[in-house]
Amino acid sequence: MAGDLPFEKPLVEMRKKIDELKQFGLEKDIDFTDEISRLEERYKLLEEEIYSNITPSQKMHLARHHGRPTSLDLIGLIFTDFIELHGDRLFGDDLAVVGGIGKLEGVPVTVIGQQRGKDTKDNIARFFGSPHPEGFRKALRLMQQADKFRRPIITFIDTKGAYPGNTAEERGQSEAIARNLREMSGLGVPVICVVIGEGGSGGALAMAVGNRVLMLEHAIYSVISPNGAASILWKDASKADQAAEAMKITAGDLLAMEVIEEVIPEPKGGAHRDYESTASAIKDAIIRHLRDLAGLGADELREDRYLKFRKIGEFAETQAAEEVFSEEPVLESEVSEAGPLTLNN
């Protein structure tokens, strides 16, 4: 299988043995049906064991798989009559963001996605899916157009983060992200956001302020990429796997914390194994959530979006915490009597 990941090696080796046995049987005209059946059964059991116990670091590698469906792949499979629109009307056309108008089951919608490249040349042209300010402004322009014409908005999130280079900073990267956060909060139409690969940092959030945020099963979503976190914590980006294990970046973790509303199942082995079934699952989820939001007016949609994000990070104080904060404060006179504070070298 092309593009196999390290944790899939046992499956690759067993599949190779099965194929070799089949080929040998054909060449020598020997019936290995029983042996092949036993190996196929063992293969299924091993496959179930591996894919039902995928770790956060393994999910990170699945989310970054080069064969994973991109925004344009999914747009072509989910929507009909899609017309791509270009440019931010201020600077240029950022190819890391694609968007336009299409139809979902005959209903006009605005679709926007972050787009990785399919090969090295395409990745360079699209900045590896990391938008410049003009990419975020293009997305915002399309969202404002959708708001004006009362079209639902669908966004696909797939970026390691906003482009970090000088050119992006010179053109107002932080302002563009902040403006998107503010303007998306006030949209009067339903907004459904789907994390299809990696949702990293402000680059992801700038297109993810929606009424509903959904994630593919093996996608990841975090305030910083695991590589970035490892660089800060351990001064070593190669420890990204270790960071991923600690950061609660998986769809299951985020659903439990109510950061997202639904985990969309993927084909066994990841979305790159079957584009059509992945697109079908995403389409079903989008339609279901749009129907839930269909009866809400503009003000109700804004309130719904506000409440969704307002509840993130809620916490309850335990009795132990209350006891700590109820302790008597240390008086200044007590500090003086204890003598000066000294630091050891």
Side-chain angles (χ1 to χ4, degrees), residues 183-222:
E183 297 298 324
M184 287 188 76
S185 300
L187 293 170
V189 294
V191 183
I192 307 292
C193 309
V194 187
V195 184
I196 62 173
E198 181 171 9
S201 192
L205 190 59
M207 289 173 54
V209 183
N211 297 90
R212 302 288 183 271
V213 178
L214 320 176
M215 284 181 69
L216 282 176
E217 181 182 358
H218 300 314
I220 59 174
Y221 190 26
S222 57

Side-chain angles (χ1 to χ4, degrees), residues 22 25-26 61 66 73 79 106 127 132 137 144 153 161 163 218 222 283 317 323 325:
K22 287 180 179 178
L26 289 173
H61 293 294
H66 65 84
D73 291 326
F79 304 94
F127 303 102
H132 277 69
R137 290 171 180 142
Q144 290 172 332
I153 298 168
Y163 189 76
H218 300 314
S222 57
K283 181 178 180 179
E317 291 185 2
E323 291 174 358
F325 288 111

Side-chain angles (χ1 to χ4, degrees), residues 155-261:
T155 69
F156 291 128
I157 313 303
D158 189 13
T159 182
K160 291 184 178 181
Y163 189 76
N166 289 344
T167 54
E169 296 300 328
E170 289 167 355
R171 298 201 287 270
Q173 186 74 286
S174 59
E175 187 276 340
I177 292 173
R179 183 179 292 273
N180 274 32
L181 301 182
R182 185 188 70 183
E183 297 298 324
M184 287 188 76
S185 300
L187 293 170
V189 294
V191 183
I192 307 292
C193 309
V194 187
V195 184
I196 62 173
E198 181 171 9
S201 192
L205 190 59
M207 289 173 54
V209 183
N211 297 90
R212 302 288 183 271
V213 178
L214 320 176
M215 284 181 69
L216 282 176
E217 181 182 358
H218 300 314
I220 59 174
Y221 190 26
S222 57
V223 70
I224 187 173
S225 73
N227 305 71
S231 297
I232 293 171
L233 293 174
W234 300 294
K235 311 299 181 188
D236 185 357
S238 67
K239 293 186 177 180
D241 285 359
Q242 186 176 341
E245 297 288 341
M247 289 173 62
K248 302 293 183 183
I249 61 176
T250 69
D253 290 328
L254 295 164
L255 181 66
M257 293 187 288
E258 299 187 23
V259 174
I260 66 171
E261 279 67 48

Side-chain angles (χ1 to χ4, degrees), residues 73-337:
D73 291 326
L74 295 172
I75 288 171
L77 291 168
I78 295 172
F79 304 94
T80 58
D81 302 319
F82 177 71
I83 301 173
E84 186 175 354
L85 303 176
H86 297 271
D88 67 341
R89 303 296 186 268
L90 292 170
F91 180 85
D93 186 31
D94 186 350
L95 299 182
V97 175
V98 297
I101 303 169
K103 289 184 179 179
L104 179 65
E105 296 291 290
V107 178
V109 296
T110 289
V111 191
I112 306 165
Q114 292 159 335
Q115 179 67 23
R116 294 178 289 106
K118 285 290 191 178
D119 52 37
T120 301
K121 182 179 179 180
D122 196 20
N123 263 318
I124 291 172
R126 298 185 185 277
F127 303 102
F128 292 84
S130 295
H132 277 69
E134 52 270 24
F136 296 120
R137 290 171 180 142
K138 173 166 68 172
L140 180 58
R141 180 177 73 83
L142 297 178
M143 292 180 207
Q144 290 172 332
Q145 181 194 74
D147 195 35
K148 177 179 180 180
F149 293 102
R150 310 302 302 160
R151 288 192 299 266
I153 298 168
I154 316 296
T155 69
F156 291 128
I157 313 303
D158 189 13
T159 182
K160 291 184 178 181
Y163 189 76
N166 289 344
T167 54
E169 296 300 328
E170 289 167 355
R171 298 201 287 270
Q173 186 74 286
S174 59
E175 187 276 340
I177 292 173
R179 183 179 292 273
N180 274 32
L181 301 182
R182 185 188 70 183
E183 297 298 324
M184 287 188 76
S185 300
L187 293 170
V189 294
V191 183
I192 307 292
C193 309
V194 187
V195 184
I196 62 173
E198 181 171 9
S201 192
L205 190 59
M207 289 173 54
V209 183
N211 297 90
R212 302 288 183 271
V213 178
L214 320 176
M215 284 181 69
L216 282 176
E217 181 182 358
H218 300 314
I220 59 174
Y221 190 26
S222 57
V223 70
I224 187 173
S225 73
N227 305 71
S231 297
I232 293 171
L233 293 174
W234 300 294
K235 311 299 181 188
D236 185 357
S238 67
K239 293 186 177 180
D241 285 359
Q242 186 176 341
E245 297 288 341
M247 289 173 62
K248 302 293 183 183
I249 61 176
T250 69
D253 290 328
L254 295 164
L255 181 66
M257 293 187 288
E258 299 187 23
V259 174
I260 66 171
E261 279 67 48
E262 183 177 340
V263 178
I264 302 171
E266 295 187 28
K268 191 168 291 184
H272 59 285
R273 302 289 185 198
D274 190 340
Y275 282 23
E276 286 75 16
S277 65
T278 300
S280 178
I282 293 173
K283 181 178 180 179
D284 290 344
I286 291 172
I287 291 172
R288 191 177 342 107
H289 286 283
L290 283 177
R291 285 173 179 164
D292 290 342
L293 298 168
L296 301 182
D299 289 338
E300 292 172 310
L301 287 166
R302 294 186 191 100
E303 181 68 10
D304 175 83
R305 204 174 300 126
Y306 169 80
L307 292 175
K308 170 197 164 38
F309 284 91
R310 189 68 180 85
K311 72 181 179 183
I312 295 175
E314 286 183 351
F315 65 94
E317 291 185 2
T318 64
Q319 183 63 35
E322 292 174 358
E323 291 174 358
V324 169
F325 288 111
S326 65
E327 289 180 359
E328 291 295 325
V330 178
L331 301 178
E332 184 179 348
S333 59
E334 293 174 342
V335 175
S336 300
E337 291 171 4

